[in-house]
Amino acid sequence: MLEETAFPNGILPATYDASSLYPSLPLRRGLDAVSDILQRGRHLRFQPVMAVLEWVMVNSYVECHGLLYHQAQGTAMGTPAALCFAVLFMSRLADLLTNKWSRTKPLSATYAPSTMV
């Protein structure tokens, strides 16, 4: 289907994939991305949301064989906030890349992690 699509002159489709996304997410950059998106959306009281999100992301623990481990890097996959955190981070990254490398905005740019039901 894509092979048959004619794109305007100078327009090239592009895709990207993130390998091991959750453990690879830089926590501080991710929090900055979420904060930036909330501020752009003019959410008047985004600071309490950011405080709770930061607490959740910084305090990720997992138990394995009776031992408790603190996740110091990336995002815990079992954390309910992780999906939104990852999607917002990747969305912000796509915006930054589009603004830096493109003369025009893409027709469509979305990120959705794989889901198995």
Side-chain angles (χ1 to χ4, degrees):
M1 186 166 140
L2 187 59
E3 294 85 8
E4 300 167 8
T5 303
F7 293 96
N9 219 4
I11 301 295
L12 298 172
T15 64
Y16 62 90
D17 184 26
S19 178
S20 303
L21 177 61
Y22 283 18
S24 301
L25 284 173
L27 184 59
R28 179 49 39 206
R29 278 197 203 155
L31 290 168
D32 290 344
V34 173
S35 178
D36 181 60
I37 289 169
L38 291 177
Q39 287 181 52
R40 270 192 292 143
R42 295 184 187 89
H43 295 277
L44 299 178
R45 296 185 45 97
F46 72 93
Q47 292 91 349
V49 172
M50 289 306 304
V52 171
L53 180 62
E54 183 167 359
W55 188 90
V56 167
M57 302 313 273
V58 169
N59 292 290
S60 296
Y61 293 88
V62 63
E63 182 182 353
C64 183
H65 301 294
L67 296 174
L68 193 61
Y69 295 92
H70 176 241
Q71 181 158 350
Q73 182 177 340
T75 303
M77 291 180 69
T79 302
L83 176 62
C84 292
F85 186 75
V87 168
L88 290 172
F89 176 81
M90 294 302 286
S91 174
R92 181 67 179 130
L93 180 61
D95 286 349
L96 291 172
L97 292 174
T98 299
N99 290 335
K100 182 174 183 169
W101 299 105
S102 172
R103 283 178 258 169
T104 61
K105 291 283 186 187
L107 298 175
S108 174
T110 58
Y111 170 79
S114 300
T115 304
M116 183 179 290
V117 179

